Amino acid sequence: MTAPDPSLVSTDPVLIPLFAEKGIRASVLRLDKIHPVISGNKFFKLHFYLEEAKQTGKDHIITYGGAWSNHIVATAAACKLNGFRSTGIIRGEEPAVLSATLKDALDYGMKLEFLSREDFTTRKRAYLSPSGSSYIIPEGGYGLHGARGAATILQYVPDISNYTHICCAAGTGTMTAGLLSASDRIQKIVSVSVLKNNQQLDTDIRSLSGDANKPALISHDHHFGGYAKHTAALLSFMNDFFRQTTIPSDIVYTGKLFYAILDMVKKDQFVPGSKFLLIHSGGLQGNRSLNKGTLIF
Ligand SMILES: *Cc1c(COP(=O)(O)O)cnc(C)c1O
């Protein structure tokens, strides 16, 4: 997959009174702008999986995800762009009406197969012995190739050494691990888990990053009830944040990231003079699961 066009990526300053008051400077790395569908970190995370598939002569990609999965639709689009057939194994029974995300995946030529939630958890592995021409990308792009791809994200920040903290949302932790491996030793990675009680996350991040000693702060307190769960407070925060900064966020990842960072700044968890890079990892397409008008952007 060709690299994203750097001219599409901007670092937008976050000018809000709270940060000024606390002596914090922050910018958002707008990876949401690199591609309308393969947005944010998925572009980076998919890169080396697709490279390996190509190099080993595979022409069919199989992967997994839920009905609103950024990973599913990004994989479908990336496969179309790169000449692969694709199959998405989707969690849950086939619904009468497909989600906007799955409709898009179909439009990109992805074949969809639905597994009940139970089968998805227990029998998904049956799909792990595909024919010789197939290549499997783990759910969410989790794994070493994904982390290697995410490590290249920081190449899009010209003045990266000016930042004291690099902050991102974590699902599988693959992006966090990549950023951790690419950051220098004085920079702290702040990662906000969007899952409830994901005990595995810290270990996964450490093992995928290949470095157990770099400083990382992993928050498990800003999941808003769990993966893809959202509250009225989160939605109204996202609208407020947009009003103040003109930066849109998504309900699964970046809304929780921005909320978490503001919350931690409010609680004086960072020294004045800190300079944050907040990674906007994309995912805006998932907001289509909300009723129209819920968000102002
Ligand atoms: C997938 C995704 C993440 C999480 O990335 P992990 O590598 O799984 O931690 C964060 N933000 C957005 C928008 C995503 O789509």
Side-chain angles (χ1 to χ4, degrees):
M1 193 155 47
T2 48
D5 176 358
S7 71
L8 298 176
V9 181
S10 60
T11 25
D12 299 352
V14 183
L15 304 169
I16 56 173
L18 171 71
F19 285 173
E21 208 175 285
K22 301 283 189 184
I24 303 287
R25 282 172 302 159
S27 295
V28 174
L29 181 66
R30 297 292 303 276
L31 300 181
D32 56 310
K33 300 202 291 191
I34 58 179
H35 190 279
V37 182
I38 321 174
S39 90
N41 70 0
K42 298 300 181 276
F43 207 113
F44 297 89
K45 285 172 66 179
L46 287 170
H47 181 86
F48 289 108
Y49 288 112
L50 295 182
E51 285 283 296
E52 184 173 79
K54 207 171 278 177
Q55 273 162 22
T56 52
K58 315 284 185 181
D59 64 1
H60 177 210
I61 304 292
I62 301 176
T63 196
Y64 311 90
W68 296 98
S69 166
N70 297 327
H71 170 71
I72 284 288
V73 70
T75 303
C79 284
K80 178 163 186 176
L81 212 68
N82 291 278
F84 292 103
R85 288 182 297 126
S86 65
T87 299
I89 314 286
I90 309 301
R91 186 192 311 110
E93 306 288 351
E94 180 164 7
V97 180
L98 286 185
S99 68
T101 305
L102 294 183
K103 274 188 199 140
D104 285 352
L106 273 183
D107 284 347
Y108 288 112
M110 183 176 258
K111 192 167 150 247
L112 302 179
E113 289 184 29
F114 293 85
L115 283 185
S116 70
R117 280 169 187 275
E118 202 173 72
D119 285 351
F120 192 86
T121 318
T122 56
R123 289 197 22 232
K124 195 171 64 175
R125 294 202 169 275
Y127 287 86
L128 289 179
S129 41
S131 74
S133 65
S134 304
Y135 182 90
I136 294 191
I137 300 181
E139 187 172 3
Y142 169 79
L144 283 172
H145 284 326
R148 242 180 97 206
T152 64
I153 286 174
L154 297 184
Q155 293 169 10
Y156 288 77
V157 189
D159 52 351
I160 185 64
S161 60
N162 290 342
Y163 294 93
T164 57
H165 296 74
I166 299 169
C167 313
C168 68
T172 65
T174 302
M175 168 170 58
T176 306
L179 294 171
L180 195 59
S181 69
S183 64
D184 68 38
R185 279 185 182 275
I186 48 167
Q187 278 167 338
K188 193 165 203 166
I189 300 291
V190 182
S191 179
V192 175
S193 175
V194 303
L195 277 71
K196 189 174 175 178
N197 299 331
N198 182 6
Q199 308 292 352
Q200 193 56 36
L201 183 64
D202 301 46
T203 331
D204 284 348
I205 290 172
R206 290 295 173 196
S207 67
L208 288 177
S209 77
D211 189 334
N213 300 315
K214 280 189 181 169
L217 175 72
I218 299 167
S219 162
H220 291 276
D221 301 329
H222 299 95
H223 53 72
F224 286 86
Y227 183 73
K229 297 267 179 9
H230 49 87
T231 62
L234 179 66
L235 297 170
S236 100
F237 166 79
M238 288 164 60
N239 280 333
D240 280 346
F241 191 78
F242 180 78
R243 268 188 215 102
Q244 292 188 58
T245 63
T246 72
I247 298 173
S249 53
D250 79 290
I251 50 171
V252 182
Y253 296 101
T254 53
K256 294 179 185 180
L257 167 69
F258 297 152
Y259 185 99
I261 297 302
L262 266 66
D263 185 48
M264 290 190 268
V265 167
K266 235 173 250 168
K267 292 173 178 160
D268 296 311
Q269 292 185 16
F270 303 103
V271 294
S274 298
K275 191 169 178 199
F276 293 118
L277 181 70
L278 312 179
I279 310 286
H280 195 313
S281 40
L284 297 172
Q285 68 87 24
N287 288 345
R288 293 180 297 176
S289 68
L290 298 170
N291 291 327
K292 271 208 167 57
T294 307
L295 296 171
I296 59 172
F297 48 85

